[in-house]
Amino acid sequence: MSNQKKPILTYLYRFAEDLFLAQVPFTDYVCLGPSRTKVIEEVRKLMEADNYSQLEIDYMSNFESEILKGQVVIENMESVSPTVPIELEVFKLNETKQEGHTGYLHNYLGHINSNKKLKKSLLKNLKSHLEDSDQTLARFLLNKKVENIFIDVVLNEDAKVEDFSSEKPLENAEQIIFPNQFNKGVNQLKNIAWEVDKLIQQIKNILVKQNENVILCGPIGSGKSSIIYQAIQDALVNEKQNARYYRMHARGIKGKAKYIGEKEKNIETLMNKLIQNAGTLWIDEIIEMFEGEPDTSTPAILRKFLKRGQLKIIAELTKSELLFIQDFLPSFLSYFQIIYIDEMGDERLDKVLEKLQETSSAEFNIKIDTDALFLSKRLLKRFSPYEVFPGKILRFFTECLSKAQTQKINTINRDMIIELFCKRMGIAELFIRDEIKLDDDKVKAFFKEKIVGQEHVVDRLINIIRIFKTGLNNPNKPISTFLFAGPTGVGKTACAKTLSEFFFGKDDNNPPIIRIDMSEFQIPGDLRKLLGSESDSGRLIKEVRNRPFCVILFDEIEKAHSSIFDNLMNLLDEGVMKDNRGRPIHFKNTIIIMTSNIGAQSLSSIGFQETDKSVVKYQSAMRAFFRPEFLNRIDEILTFNSLTAEQVKKITAIELSYLNNRSGLKSKGINLEYDDKLIDYLASIGFNEKMGARPLQRAIEHQLVRAISLYLVANPGVSGCTLKLTYEDNKIQITQ
């Protein structure tokens, strides 16, 4: 039995008229009670009964909390106007160490999320709960007093706990054995190293003759892993070396350590076993070891084995990762011979592509057309910034060959390349196929189906589409940057969504638009949430790395703190930012759109069309608020018109047309038709002078969708027909 200190968050929880003290050990446990003593005792019982399976002392030694404030509009509240935003207090829990969790805790739902949900998602969830409530928000506001304490709990050491087995320290490592390189199919292509014989020989000599540790340093895709793989193969097969080679991910080295001292024990056990087996360890993603405090990190523990000359390690790094390690633990690199690799040049790359063709035909009986091969090279060079050649083209053709085998296709041609590339990158075929001409009329029709009253904006967007189609956009900057100015609810956000759909397609599960509410970043410390810090990459960095082809929408940009503008200037200039490890994140395949209501305070969203005077007013307001050097980095500032009554009706008709795509209607073969009376009614209740089109969707859901659902429940046999909807006698009427 042993005592362990566990962190507990203490906060006051108000429900109805009662005030509780809550203790949360940053797990799935949440305990409420009238006093700290009672609650802590309950927490202790739960933790001991569960044998701490939810806890990791390494992760949660300390954390910080801060109050975030967001605004939502609550409908149907007795004492609150529906157009008045309500401020909600949300506690954000940030673990101060690099590994671990970020959680959001809010008072109304009374729970903690230990996954990485964002504040926006929480507020959206909270809003959906409150919209149907008849209660005011006052009673649900959380007390601002937060306290971080530790309690003693007892660990039953005899209990069954999942951990890293000391008897099998190499069970998580893959021993490298070399059968025929193609007997596992096309996936083995990634292990082939062509046109790098000198490097393979150099690495093999280091492993066999010099008996040294080695790091290959080069960009992603330069062939580091395949060179190591081939060098080990030569050492084992051609040199008939008796040594054993193991491959393990960096995070597996410390094992499943939970408690103080466990990590050190697991690492030492693993290293001693390697030494006994005369094993050389190939560490995947070695950069992942460099976290926490340098003196107690995994590399610091490995260092003593390296110092004694007992351990042999192979690894690969990028240059930015190498610089990171130099800052983190400089002495670690002194035990390695570092070999630098550059991106493969065109001459050698073309020879690799010839060998790829030969191998594909001989080993897999699949022909690769030459024009398909070089089209892939051109597309990847332009649109794939995170890898270099030859890695990125070999990985791409691994996908192509795998698809060809699955579908029993004998030839990989241009059409297959384009289809797979567009699907992989999330970009429209229009921008890939030279034979597809840009039809201005069709493009205008696409935008006019979704955007009303902003023809001058559509014209500007089409011009950007032309430039990108012809490849004349600046390759060192984002595709384009816009500032959309105008009143609320006139189509600025809708225009951004339409542009993203045209460029990058429509994906309901992973939409090609990153929308960031800049009202969430109003204080200096918010910069790290958006753009990152030394310990975390930041929301924008993470999302763009996962989706490099997208529209980035900075909504209400004027509400952000001035420090964010300074950092965005670098982004607009260079199209590149760096994450917390110094890795470049490319924004060159993004469209950046900022929206602002500056200058619109005295204008309504309805009934006021663009005039020279209004444009001048917006431009003057922009110049007064934003620094000149910031505005000068924006490609175009587009002013949105206010809406006329007729345009409001057109927007209503567009929104209604989307209802036919809902699964509940499509599955039953039901089509909806609307008359002018219904459109007039919804337009009248869904628009107002200050909010513009914003309330329209809510009006459609509350009024129309509710009426349709009641009709279908009352008439369960309805299918394969058209429902006609009108507004008569102050209510919505539905007939077949």
Side-chain angles (χ1 to χ4, degrees):
M1 310 289 278
S2 64
N3 288 348
Q4 299 286 341
K5 295 261 186 204
K6 302 296 179 183
I8 303 294
L9 173 71
T10 305
Y11 69 97
L12 293 176
Y13 180 80
R14 190 180 298 276
F15 183 78
E17 301 301 328
D18 298 318
L19 187 66
F20 293 89
L21 188 75
Q23 310 283 353
V24 184
F26 217 85
T27 67
D28 293 334
Y29 308 124
V30 177
C31 299
L32 300 178
S35 68
R36 176 183 299 183
T37 304
K38 294 280 186 183
V39 177
I40 288 179
E41 186 59 35
E42 190 65 25
V43 171
R44 184 184 287 111
K45 288 179 181 178
L46 286 171
M47 294 164 74
E48 292 180 353
D50 205 28
N51 201 44
Y52 319 122
S53 61
Q54 304 285 336
L55 299 172
E56 300 193 16
I57 185 117
D58 245 12
Y59 281 17
M60 289 304 300
S61 57
N62 60 82
F63 59 87
E64 59 187 17
S65 59
E66 60 179 305
I67 296 175
L68 303 174
K69 292 185 178 180
Q71 292 185 336
V72 296
V73 176
I74 310 299
E75 293 282 324
N76 302 323
M77 302 288 291
E78 288 182 347
S79 60
V80 180
S81 170
T83 60
V84 177
I86 305 298
E87 249 188 10
L88 302 172
E89 294 179 341
V90 180
F91 278 89
K92 181 186 177 188
L93 308 178
N94 297 309
E95 196 223 353
T96 56
K97 291 191 173 182
Q98 193 170 1
E99 56 185 343
H101 306 87
T102 297
Y104 291 93
L105 174 68
H106 65 85
N107 54 304
Y108 182 75
L109 298 180
H111 72 266
I112 186 167
N113 295 323
S114 59
N115 57 6
K116 295 183 177 180
K117 288 188 176 180
L118 300 172
K119 174 193 170 190
K120 182 177 72 173
S121 301
L122 182 142
L123 290 175
K124 183 180 178 181
N125 190 27
L126 182 57
K127 179 181 176 181
S128 67
H129 281 265
L130 294 179
E131 280 183 342
D132 297 326
S133 174
D134 293 325
Q135 305 181 68
T136 65
L137 294 175
R139 66 184 61 186
F140 297 110
L141 291 181
L142 193 64
N143 189 290
K144 295 184 179 181
K145 188 174 181 181
V146 174
E147 191 176 353
N148 190 7
I149 65 171
F150 288 82
I151 65 171
D152 287 314
V153 293
V154 180
L155 171 65
N156 182 1
E157 293 178 340
D158 296 327
K160 186 178 179 180
V161 180
E162 185 182 13
D163 68 0
F164 189 86
S165 174
S166 61
E167 296 179 0
K168 299 179 179 179
L170 291 175
E171 65 180 358
N172 294 326
E174 171 199 1
Q175 186 173 355
I176 301 174
I177 303 172
F178 292 94
N180 185 289
Q181 60 190 11
F182 292 107
N183 72 346
K184 293 184 180 180
V186 299
N187 286 330
Q188 284 297 327
L189 280 176
K190 64 178 183 278
N191 295 323
I192 304 300
W194 287 310
E195 298 298 314
V196 285
D197 294 343
K198 289 183 179 180
L199 278 170
I200 293 171
Q201 183 66 34
Q202 185 180 2
I203 301 300
K204 183 187 73 173
N205 289 339
I206 293 173
L207 295 175
V208 176
K209 299 178 181 179
Q210 300 178 25
N211 202 31
E212 292 185 17
N213 307 295
V214 61
I215 286 176
L216 267 70
C217 181
I220 298 171
S222 56
K224 301 184 295 294
S225 296
S226 58
I227 289 170
I228 293 174
Y229 196 86
Q230 291 290 103
I232 295 175
Q233 183 182 35
D234 281 0
L236 290 175
V237 178
N238 299 331
E239 299 290 334
K240 305 205 184 285
Q241 194 188 20
N242 293 322
R244 297 178 181 176
Y245 291 85
Y246 297 91
R247 190 172 186 178
M248 179 182 284
H249 192 277
R251 290 200 175 271
I253 291 176
K254 66 179 181 181
K256 297 175 182 177
K258 291 184 177 182
Y259 309 112
I260 297 174
E262 240 184 334
K263 180 171 74 172
E264 291 84 350
K265 180 183 176 182
N266 290 340
I267 294 173
E268 289 184 4
T269 302
L270 173 64
M271 296 303 110
N272 287 328
K273 193 68 177 177
L274 278 170
I275 294 167
Q276 292 173 16
N277 290 348
T280 298
L281 185 61
W282 178 2
I283 304 177
D284 275 332
E285 302 290 338
I286 192 172
I287 191 67
E288 298 291 335
M289 296 193 313
F290 294 83
E291 57 187 9
E293 296 297 323
D295 292 340
T296 58
S297 63
T298 298
I301 301 170
L302 294 179
R303 192 170 47 183
K304 66 181 181 182
F305 293 95
L306 293 169
K307 188 176 181 180
R308 297 171 193 161
Q310 298 174 303
L311 186 61
K312 288 179 64 177
I313 292 176
I314 315 168
E316 57 246 61
L317 292 167
T318 64
K319 287 183 180 180
S320 61
E321 290 170 344
L322 188 72
L323 292 172
F324 179 85
I325 293 174
Q326 287 176 341
D327 291 336
F328 186 93
L329 194 68
S331 60
F332 185 80
L333 294 175
S334 65
Y335 301 104
F336 290 84
Q337 186 171 340
I338 300 174
I339 308 296
Y340 293 92
I341 306 173
D342 295 322
E343 179 175 11
M344 186 172 284
D346 280 342
E347 186 177 343
R348 284 197 298 149
L349 179 60
D350 288 345
K351 291 181 180 178
V352 167
L353 298 183
E354 289 176 10
K355 290 181 179 180
L356 174 63
Q357 277 183 302
E358 295 170 3
T359 301
S360 177
S361 179
E363 300 290 341
F364 311 122
N365 200 29
I366 298 173
K367 179 186 175 183
I368 302 175
D369 287 346
T370 301
D371 62 338
L373 200 64
F374 286 93
L375 174 64
S376 303
K377 177 184 173 183
R378 178 168 67 84
L379 293 176
L380 289 167
K381 189 173 185 177
R382 181 182 177 189
F383 295 112
S384 183
Y386 291 113
E387 292 184 80
V388 300
F389 293 113
K392 61 182 173 183
I393 200 165
L394 291 177
R395 263 186 271 272
F396 181 70
F397 271 97
T398 298
E399 293 180 44
C400 294
L401 288 166
S402 180
K403 181 180 179 179
Q405 284 186 329
T406 302
Q407 299 182 0
K408 298 182 178 180
I409 297 171
N410 297 324
T411 302
I412 296 175
N413 55 26
R414 290 182 82 259
D415 289 340
M416 184 177 176
I417 293 297
I418 291 172
E419 181 187 349
L420 187 59
F421 186 85
C422 291
K423 184 178 179 181
R424 185 189 194 200
M425 295 297 180
I427 190 169
E429 285 194 19
L430 168 69
F431 302 110
I432 303 300
R433 292 186 180 272
D434 295 333
E435 64 270 24
I436 300 178
K437 294 182 179 180
L438 186 67
D439 189 323
D440 281 6
D441 292 335
K442 288 184 179 179
V443 178
K444 285 182 180 179
F446 177 87
F447 280 88
K448 286 183 177 181
E449 284 180 0
K450 305 172 188 297
I451 307 298
V452 176
Q454 314 297 342
E455 286 78 9
H456 64 294
V457 173
V458 171
D459 288 341
R460 301 289 183 89
L461 298 181
I462 293 175
N463 188 53
I464 296 300
I465 292 169
R466 291 192 197 99
I467 291 172
F468 188 71
K469 166 67 174 173
T470 55
L472 296 178
N473 58 296
N474 189 335
N476 299 316
K477 297 177 66 177
I479 296 171
S480 193
T481 58
F482 296 100
L483 178 58
F484 288 175
T488 298
V490 296
K492 298 190 296 293
T493 301
C495 198
K497 291 179 178 178
T498 304
L499 188 63
S500 76
E501 184 179 339
F502 186 89
F503 263 87
F504 311 119
K506 187 176 181 180
D507 186 346
D508 294 332
N509 297 320
N510 188 19
I513 184 168
I514 301 171
R515 186 179 179 274
I516 300 175
D517 184 355
M518 300 308 288
S519 64
E520 299 178 13
F521 307 95
Q522 297 185 14
I523 61 176
D526 290 339
L527 178 64
R528 58 188 175 92
K529 295 188 299 183
L530 180 66
L531 303 178
S533 61
E534 291 182 358
S535 61
D536 189 43
S537 292
R539 177 186 168 187
L540 180 62
I541 297 293
K542 292 176 182 176
E543 293 206 36
V544 173
R545 185 163 185 96
N546 291 332
R547 183 113 198 197
F549 288 81
C550 65
V551 168
I552 304 171
L553 177 62
F554 295 108
D555 214 1
E556 298 186 296
I557 185 71
E558 74 274 9
K559 293 184 178 180
H561 190 268
S562 58
S563 61
I564 292 177
F565 296 137
D566 294 337
N567 283 269
L568 286 180
M569 282 196 290
N570 295 328
L571 167 60
L572 301 180
D573 248 353
E574 302 171 4
V576 176
M577 299 191 77
K578 291 185 177 180
D579 66 6
N580 60 307
R581 290 178 178 168
R583 297 174 297 188
I585 307 299
H586 295 273
F587 289 73
K588 299 172 184 179
N589 294 313
T590 68
I591 299 170
I592 297 175
I593 297 175
M594 296 164 274
T595 70
S596 176
N597 297 327
I598 291 178
Q601 289 79 4
S602 63
L603 303 177
S604 73
S605 297
I606 300 174
F608 191 95
Q609 284 290 296
E610 182 186 40
T611 64
D612 291 340
K613 187 177 179 180
S614 66
V615 172
V616 170
K617 180 175 180 174
Y618 280 117
Q619 292 178 347
S620 178
M622 295 292 170
R623 286 194 296 270
F625 185 88
F626 296 107
R627 292 159 52 190
E629 54 266 38
F630 179 76
L631 291 177
N632 289 338
R633 285 167 170 82
I634 298 171
D635 295 329
E636 292 203 65
I637 300 174
L638 302 180
T639 303
F640 279 62
N641 295 339
S642 300
L643 301 170
T644 66
E646 284 303 313
Q647 289 167 345
V648 166
K649 293 178 184 179
K650 286 183 181 179
I651 294 172
T652 305
I654 291 172
E655 292 293 333
L656 291 175
S657 69
Y658 298 147
L659 289 183
N660 281 318
N661 295 322
R662 297 203 176 180
S663 59
L665 297 174
K666 290 181 73 174
S667 62
K668 294 183 178 183
I670 297 174
N671 186 56
L672 303 178
E673 286 186 1
Y674 318 95
D675 68 1
D676 291 339
K677 291 180 181 179
L678 180 63
I679 292 174
D680 291 345
Y681 168 69
L682 292 172
S684 66
I685 66 170
F687 285 78
N688 63 58
E689 289 190 0
K690 293 298 182 186
M691 300 297 294
R694 289 284 172 91
L696 178 60
Q697 290 181 339
R698 190 161 54 243
I700 291 173
E701 294 293 330
H702 288 182
Q703 299 286 330
L704 187 60
V705 175
R706 182 178 297 178
I708 296 170
S709 64
L710 289 171
Y711 181 87
L712 293 177
V713 168
N715 302 275
V718 173
S719 64
C721 64
T722 296
L723 297 182
K724 297 179 181 180
L725 294 95
T726 187
Y727 187 75
E728 297 279 0
D729 301 326
N730 294 322
K731 68 176 183 179
I732 295 172
Q733 307 280 357
I734 302 176
T735 58
Q736 291 192 45

